[in-house]
Amino acid sequence: EVQLEESGGNMVRPGGSLRLSCAVSGFTFDDHGMSWVRQVPGKGLEWVCEINWNGGSTGYADSVKGRFTVSRDNGKKSLYLQMNSLRDEDTALYYCARNQLFGSGSDYWGQGTLVTVSS
Amino acid sequence: QSALTQPASVSGSPGQSITISCTGTTSDVGGYNQVSWYQLHPGKAPKLMIYDVTNRPSGVSNRFSGSKSDNTASLTISGLQAEDEADYYCSSYTSRSLRVFGTGTKVTVL
């Protein structure tokens, strides 16, 4: 069974940093690209970033570029999101998602981890 | 990187068909056959319903179908059921090698 479990969400002050993790199981992790997507409570989905199978290629939304860094450890079957210079508007539920092997969608998602940026 | 435009809400009676539109530009929806649709029920993880404009993942009901014309993609739900009541989001690959989601549509089953 494919499983993704996010962790690391917390409350942090503006300007602070946080590192999210996503542990996966039930599939060959290094076959797949992975994504982070966030949802402000009561609002819509926002694509944050993605990383290819070996970490050699990444892409970021303009809203987080230069502040967030996505990485992965295939040996540990884990995906990470280092978030620096956090802003109030980064407050959201952060999901990790598995990108399809053949297709442009994300076919498995975790339950999300909540990040709250507040003074 | 503006969000794709979706209607805020769509409603229908059980058994009816409804269509949700997703309008972008030639730099995203119109330029690539890489549009996906996701279903969100409150408190649950998003579920992929359609990928690459028209394809259904294994396990997704064939009541869900996708299409695209120019810069607008569409999700049609036929034979509407109570369990289809949820939020739906489209997503597209973009010319900057990024991805963008739609504004989201709340589907209500009357």
Side-chain angles (χ1 to χ4, degrees):
Chain A
E1 180 189 6
V2 172
Q3 292 188 327
L4 296 85
E5 184 172 3
E6 304 92 340
S7 62
N10 209 333
M11 180 176 289
V12 61
R13 300 221 186 268
S17 297
L18 210 54
R19 189 195 197 205
L20 305 185
S21 299
C22 173
V24 313
S25 61
F27 66 98
T28 303
F29 183 56
D30 52 12
D31 275 349
H32 290 263
M34 300 290 294
S35 296
W36 287 99
V37 175
R38 67 186 181 185
Q39 184 175 27
V40 174
K43 303 286 188 181
L45 295 177
E46 181 186 11
W47 179 80
V48 175
C49 61
E50 69 178 27
I51 186 168
N52 76 332
W53 70 276
N54 66 355
S57 177
T58 59
Y60 298 90
D62 290 343
S63 57
V64 306
K65 195 168 187 177
R67 301 187 298 123
F68 289 12
T69 302
V70 60
S71 62
R72 64 190 295 160
D73 185 331
N74 287 346
K76 293 184 177 179
K77 295 189 176 182
S78 292
L79 175 73
Y80 306 103
L81 183 65
Q82 177 66 42
M83 304 186 295
N84 298 332
S85 303
L86 282 162
R87 305 168 179 167
D88 290 350
E89 55 265 34
D90 295 319
T91 294
L93 185 65
Y94 284 73
Y95 294 102
C96 70
R98 185 185 87 166
N99 296 344
Q100 289 180 296
L101 211 49
F102 302 108
S104 61
S106 295
D107 56 359
Y108 285 91
W109 297 62
Q111 292 295 319
T113 186
L114 184 62
V115 172
T116 302
V117 184
S118 175
S119 53
Chain B
Q1 194 176 333
S2 300
L4 307 174
T5 301
Q6 298 181 230
S9 63
V10 174
S11 62
S13 299
Q16 285 188 329
S17 292
I18 61 169
T19 297
I20 304 167
S21 61
C22 168
T23 301
T25 69
T26 54
S27 296
D28 38 63
V29 174
Y32 307 92
N33 289 324
Q34 294 190 29
V35 176
S36 302
W37 289 91
Y38 299 89
Q39 177 191 64
L40 272 76
H41 282 115
K44 298 187 73 174
K47 179 182 179 181
L48 178 66
M49 306 303 286
I50 295 287
Y51 67 94
D52 294 350
V53 179
T54 61
N55 297 302
R56 262 189 322 273
S58 174
V60 171
S61 170
N62 60 9
R63 298 185 298 104
F64 292 83
S65 61
S67 62
K68 191 184 85 166
S69 177
D70 296 328
N71 296 338
T72 298
S74 298
L75 174 71
T76 298
I77 309 175
S78 58
L80 199 61
Q81 299 180 0
E83 68 209 47
D84 300 332
E85 187 162 292
D87 293 329
Y88 292 82
Y89 291 85
C90 61
S91 176
S92 176
Y93 181 77
T94 80
S95 59
R96 295 174 59 205
S97 300
L98 306 176
R99 298 185 191 276
V100 61
F101 278 97
T103 50
T105 299
K106 182 177 181 59
V107 168
T108 301
V109 181
L110 301 172

